[in-house]
Amino acid sequence: MDNPTYRARRGRHRRRWTAIGLLVGVPAIVVPSLVFAQEESRTATVDGSAHNQQTSVRSGQVLDDNGSSTADGTAIQQEQVESAQSQTAQTQTTGSGPYRWKNAQVVGGGYVTGLVFNPREKGLLYARTDMGGAYRWNAAAERWIPLTDWLGEKDWNLLGIDSVATDPVAPKRLYLMAGTYTNDWAGNGAILRSTDRGRTFKRTDLPFKVGANEHGRGTGERLVVDPANHGTLLLGSRKNGLWRSTDYGATWRQVSSFPVKNGASSGAGISFVTYGKAGSKTIYVGVGDSSTSLYRSTDSGRTWRAVSGQPTGQLPQHGVVSGDGSLYLTYTNALGPNGVTAGSVWKYTPNRGAWKNISPSQGSYGFSGLAVDPRKPSTVMVTTLDRWWPEDEIYRSTDGGAHWKALAERSKRSAAGAPYVGTHTGHWMTALAIDPFNSGHVLYGTGNAIWRSKDANASDSGGTSHWVSGARGLEETSLLDAIAPPGGATVITSMGDQGGFRHDSLTKVPSGRLANPMMTNSTDIDFAQSKPSTMVRVGHGGDQDGAYSTDGGTTWSGFKAEPVAAANDGRVALAADGSTIVWTQVGQAPYRSTDKGSSWSRVSGLGADAVVVADRSSAKTFYSLSGGTLYASTDGGATFTARAGNLPSGRLTAVPGIAGDLWIAGSDRGLLHSTDGGRSFATLESVQSASTLGFGRAKPGTGYQALYLIGTVKDVTGVFRSTDKGATWLRVNDNAHQWGAIGSVGVITGDPDIYGRVYIGTNGRGLQYGDPS
């Protein structure tokens, strides 16, 4: 499937899968298409209005992002960012209908690949994720603030962050190395540059690709600032060698003297870049090559040599220089984060040219996470990688690696902040950081976000360290579907890597994932419109690939049988009264069951991969849009016949409560509507393109469902609401809230009980929900 959302989900294994900052009153500079090595400073515009990224926090308390644009059929009017003096989050609008956006709480859910403290400013900390953007830590509120939600559909590839660099001289300066894939179908990467800690960004497009969601994404930082000359940065690429900027990241040139200019033997190229001891003019670069993996420059990067005596046969993950000039390194025998079966930890003392293997243990696993206490150069911490039994471990040494203590059994863990994670140490523990201002404050990333301790040094004196979920505000799940049944749970999700959650409250973390079966990926979910406590979901990774619930998703029972052996995933539809399930498994024709999945029979009249949709009023009626033809069944999905042809491929949806009322989101052919069960369709002139459409509670005084569209109206692409059957549209998101490839994800639904509320599924930023502000 040539679909970026599918590709992202397919590439994730054993894992998923609010407001921004202190208000400064400076408009964001988002430059859509800069030529490489050129800098342009201007604001993006929408319908002639300047784009201002609303970013506000009341002192010490994180507030919600406010919508910053409105649209009512024609003009798109931009909200003004308030002044720095007021430091409040009140909405100033020039129209009606701006929305306030939040995440439905899961807390984490995805792979945090890097954690970077600023060494100069206390409490300044950043996190990077493989496909969900970057975050800044709010120390007062103890939560994360998303920094890259402004990236839209055309820039979805930039939501993967392969490296973060924070300026050690001017802490307000932040650099993100953005790009998710290096495949031919992915665009080139970019450097996102900020002078206000990520509240606003300028962009420089790179002439090569960046792979934040590829193998080796948990290695060290590839992008670093020269502490002796902070206008200079080095960038280690995966396929194109080492690059340098001397103008704060605005322009870049390849370092011709660096010997590796390709992907090296691993194909992943450079794994980390780090500067040596202050004043030494030393730089170390790790390369994913099992024969020669470490290079050093002692003249600020003009010349390079392989470090003599270095370990061979393994690949470097992280390299950190301590205050005494020693270089510590972690190694694996594969890029990771999966497939690692061996590894080691080494210490290099440059003034003696001496290497020492200081591995704290040995087994069929590697070592990745690495941190040295900036206040105590002999205090080192490392993590194992792929030590699946009994669990991954954290080791701590206070004597430069001569002796180690294992922390797993010397720690207590509370999962109250994210119950689904459990209290084990975690997996994919590649990001590890010690606070430069507080030796006891330590965080590490996992495939399910972050663990955090304020007393990680307790073991130094024989005590017990305490760990809690440190991911509040960070949401990185990948949505595949979501339902909002009337009168029941607020919303129930299907998602990659986590399977899905039932949200009785949007502001509280669910007690656990959907279980029995607990699927790795749940690809689709549906409920019976006239009996909404009955629902079904399908996917894979559990004891069964499908399940039903009769109590609104609180408990589930796996299907006793499946239509085709070894098939899974796909799409599922449930009759309006819950009597019939129609399941199209991947690569198969649809099958139906009338006994809650105990037996199945093949549907007649439809071919492989035909997606079936239930009429939301008539229990015997189903529809399918396949190959540009609308098919219908009036016998409970047993047989289908064609009703209309020459239709666009797209997403077919049925309106709750009205028999035969259908809509097609037909991509560039716009939005089509049928009121006669698909026998005929009319194209709406108001919509230029339509990715997906959902329904919600009707506006008071009207009798028809509110429509929620991801698409393009009046040359503006965004999320829209209509209360008059699509005649006019109000834009409900804004340029600060775009979340990447939401159109490709195709998950949107209004709330059936609360007028105006809408839920949007993202590919890496969880489930967003918006309310009129």
Side-chain angles (χ1 to χ4, degrees):
M1 293 176 62
D2 189 22
N3 179 309
T5 302
Y6 171 77
R7 290 191 296 260
R9 294 166 184 157
R10 182 180 57 189
R12 310 272 295 277
H13 180 61
R14 272 201 65 116
R15 155 184 84 76
R16 45 147 170 78
W17 283 71
T18 88
I20 301 179
L22 294 173
L23 179 67
V24 293
V26 180
I29 301 173
V30 181
V31 184
S33 57
L34 286 181
V35 176
F36 172 69
Q38 291 183 343
E39 178 180 357
E40 184 177 351
S41 178
R42 61 184 175 89
T43 54
T45 60
V46 180
D47 252 16
S49 300
H51 162 217
N52 294 315
Q53 183 178 349
Q54 174 79 6
T55 59
S56 61
V57 168
R58 193 182 300 272
S59 179
Q61 292 184 341
V62 178
L63 302 178
D64 301 319
D65 284 342
N66 293 321
S68 62
S69 67
T70 64
D72 195 358
T74 53
I76 306 296
Q77 300 167 314
Q78 294 298 317
E79 175 185 349
Q80 298 299 311
V81 176
E82 61 184 347
S83 68
Q85 288 78 15
S86 66
Q87 297 235 342
T88 67
Q90 296 175 349
T91 305
Q92 307 287 328
T93 66
T94 56
S96 60
Y99 265 52
R100 182 170 295 182
W101 294 95
K102 301 179 183 178
N103 266 113
Q105 295 296 291
V106 168
V107 179
Y111 186 18
V112 175
T113 51
L115 293 162
V116 180
F117 275 101
N118 184 280
R120 186 180 182 93
E121 181 174 314
K122 185 177 182 180
L124 185 56
L125 167 65
Y126 297 96
R128 61 178 166 96
T129 66
D130 56 356
M131 56 180 288
Y135 293 79
R136 186 181 70 248
W137 179 247
N138 183 305
E142 295 192 336
R143 67 177 297 147
W144 295 94
I145 300 163
L147 302 180
T148 45
D149 283 356
W150 53 270
L151 289 165
E153 192 86 26
K154 68 178 181 179
D155 290 321
W156 66 267
N157 188 52
L158 299 184
L159 272 175
I161 308 299
D162 214 15
S163 191
V164 171
T166 176
D167 194 317
V169 178
K172 290 183 179 180
R173 289 187 178 271
L174 168 69
Y175 303 88
L176 305 179
M177 181 177 173
T180 311
Y181 299 105
T182 61
N183 302 71
D184 292 341
W185 39 257
N188 285 349
I191 298 297
L192 306 179
R193 302 169 283 127
S194 175
T195 56
D196 52 16
R197 301 181 184 87
R199 297 179 183 89
T200 62
F201 286 91
K202 295 179 181 179
R203 168 178 172 176
T204 296
D205 288 330
L206 295 169
F208 51 81
K209 299 177 187 298
V210 173
N213 194 28
E214 295 185 346
H215 297 309
R217 57 195 183 272
T219 60
E221 299 307 320
R222 297 174 168 91
L223 180 66
V224 291
V225 178
D226 185 345
N229 180 6
H230 73 126
T232 296
L233 293 89
L234 288 176
L235 182 161
S237 73
R238 290 173 175 263
K239 310 287 185 182
N240 302 89
L242 186 66
W243 292 69
R244 178 187 287 116
S245 172
T246 57
D247 54 7
Y248 299 95
T251 63
W252 294 83
R253 292 180 182 273
Q254 190 178 48
V255 179
S256 59
S257 60
F258 191 74
V260 180
K261 296 179 175 63
N262 54 28
S265 66
S266 68
I270 293 172
S271 56
F272 70 82
V273 183
T274 186
Y275 280 87
K277 186 178 179 180
S280 67
K281 296 185 179 181
T282 298
I283 309 168
Y284 295 98
V285 176
V287 176
D289 189 286
S290 58
S291 59
T292 305
S293 62
L294 184 66
Y295 294 86
R296 179 177 60 177
S297 172
T298 56
D299 54 10
S300 300
R302 285 187 289 275
T303 61
W304 299 86
R305 289 184 178 180
V307 179
S308 61
Q310 63 181 274
T312 60
Q314 295 183 347
L315 308 175
Q317 285 270 320
H318 290 255
V320 177
V321 175
S322 71
D324 62 11
S326 300
L327 174 67
Y328 294 88
L329 300 108
T330 52
Y331 287 86
T332 54
N333 67 339
L335 289 172
N338 268 331
V340 174
T341 58
S344 54
V345 182
W346 288 78
K347 180 179 181 179
Y348 174 64
T349 308
N351 58 1
R352 294 189 291 113
W355 285 90
K356 184 178 181 180
N357 187 332
I358 58 170
S359 303
S361 62
Q362 186 175 353
S364 57
Y365 50 87
F367 294 89
S368 181
L370 171 64
V372 178
D373 190 340
R375 301 165 64 89
K376 299 178 180 180
S378 60
T379 296
V380 186
M381 297 181 70
V382 298
T383 67
T384 61
L385 182 60
D386 292 354
R387 184 178 182 254
W388 300 113
W389 188 90
E391 62 181 336
D392 269 303
E393 183 62 270
I394 311 166
Y395 292 99
R396 181 177 172 91
S397 172
T398 57
D399 55 10
H403 303 88
W404 297 90
K405 290 181 179 178
L407 298 191
E409 292 186 358
R410 298 171 183 260
S411 62
K412 292 184 178 180
R413 296 172 179 274
S414 170
Y420 70 97
V421 173
T423 56
H424 54 82
T425 56
H427 70 286
W428 289 8
M429 297 157 55
T430 56
L432 177 65
I434 301 175
D435 191 332
F437 295 88
N438 180 355
S439 296
H441 186 205
V442 175
L443 304 93
Y444 69 88
T446 76
N448 280 326
I450 297 169
W451 281 100
R452 176 172 175 249
S453 174
K454 296 181 181 180
D455 61 357
N457 55 355
S459 63
D460 298 351
S461 56
T464 299
S465 59
H466 299 79
W467 298 81
V468 298
S469 171
R472 195 162 66 99
L474 191 154
E475 299 285 347
E476 206 202 347
T477 50
S478 178
L479 271 291
L480 302 179
D481 198 12
I483 57 172
T490 303
V491 67
I492 303 175
T493 59
S494 285
M495 58 178 57
D497 295 333
Q498 302 297 349
F501 296 85
R502 173 188 159 111
H503 292 269
D504 293 297
S505 168
L506 296 172
T507 59
K508 296 180 181 179
V509 181
S511 58
R513 296 159 55 188
L514 301 181
N516 192 32
M518 185 177 289
M519 301 177 186
T520 303
N521 282 20
S522 177
T523 55
D524 204 20
I525 188 169
D526 196 13
F527 69 94
Q529 188 68 46
S530 61
K531 196 176 180 182
S533 61
T534 299
M535 52 190 63
V536 293
R537 59 186 171 98
V538 296
H540 74 265
D543 293 333
Q544 295 89 21
D545 296 321
Y548 69 90
S549 173
T550 58
D551 58 7
T554 301
T555 62
W556 295 82
S557 299
F559 295 157
K560 293 182 179 180
E562 294 191 3
V564 178
N568 53 33
D569 293 339
R571 301 288 298 274
V572 67
L574 187 61
D577 64 355
S579 59
T580 303
I581 305 167
V582 181
W583 183 7
T584 304
Q585 294 176 292
V586 171
Q588 304 296 321
Y591 281 74
R592 66 189 290 265
S593 174
T594 58
D595 53 12
K596 298 179 181 178
S598 294
S599 62
W600 298 86
S601 59
R602 181 169 175 168
V603 166
S604 174
L606 295 177
D609 292 317
V611 177
V612 174
V613 173
D615 189 284
R616 308 308 289 183
S617 179
S618 176
K620 292 291 186 181
T621 303
F622 290 84
Y623 309 96
S624 179
L625 178 64
S626 181
T629 299
L630 190 287
Y631 297 86
S633 169
T634 57
D635 58 4
T639 59
F640 282 78
T641 56
R643 283 190 176 176
N646 195 31
L647 297 170
S649 297
R651 292 186 170 98
L652 176 69
T653 49
V655 176
I658 305 177
D661 197 314
L662 306 175
W663 293 80
I664 296 174
S667 189
D668 291 341
R669 286 184 61 179
L671 191 62
L672 292 78
H673 185 206
S674 172
T675 58
D676 57 7
R679 294 174 177 84
S680 63
F681 283 86
T683 302
L684 273 67
E685 296 182 359
S686 60
V687 176
Q688 291 165 274
S689 69
S691 296
T692 189
L693 185 75
F695 311 103
R697 185 178 179 88
K699 180 181 179 180
T702 68
Y704 195 83
Q705 293 270 302
L707 306 180
Y708 294 94
L709 169 75
I710 300 175
T712 303
V713 176
K714 301 291 185 180
D715 297 322
V716 176
T717 299
V719 183
F720 299 87
R721 186 189 74 209
S722 175
T723 57
D724 54 11
K725 297 186 180 181
T728 60
W729 296 90
L730 170 79
R731 187 183 181 193
V732 298
N733 76 320
D734 55 77
N735 287 355
H737 301 89
Q738 299 193 76
W739 314 291
I742 58 173
S744 299
V745 173
V747 175
I748 187 169
T749 182
D751 192 292
D753 302 320
I754 302 174
Y755 165 68
R757 176 173 290 176
V758 59
Y759 305 96
I760 298 173
T762 72
N763 187 36
R765 277 290 289 123
L767 182 70
Q768 303 284 336
Y769 69 98
D771 289 307
S773 62

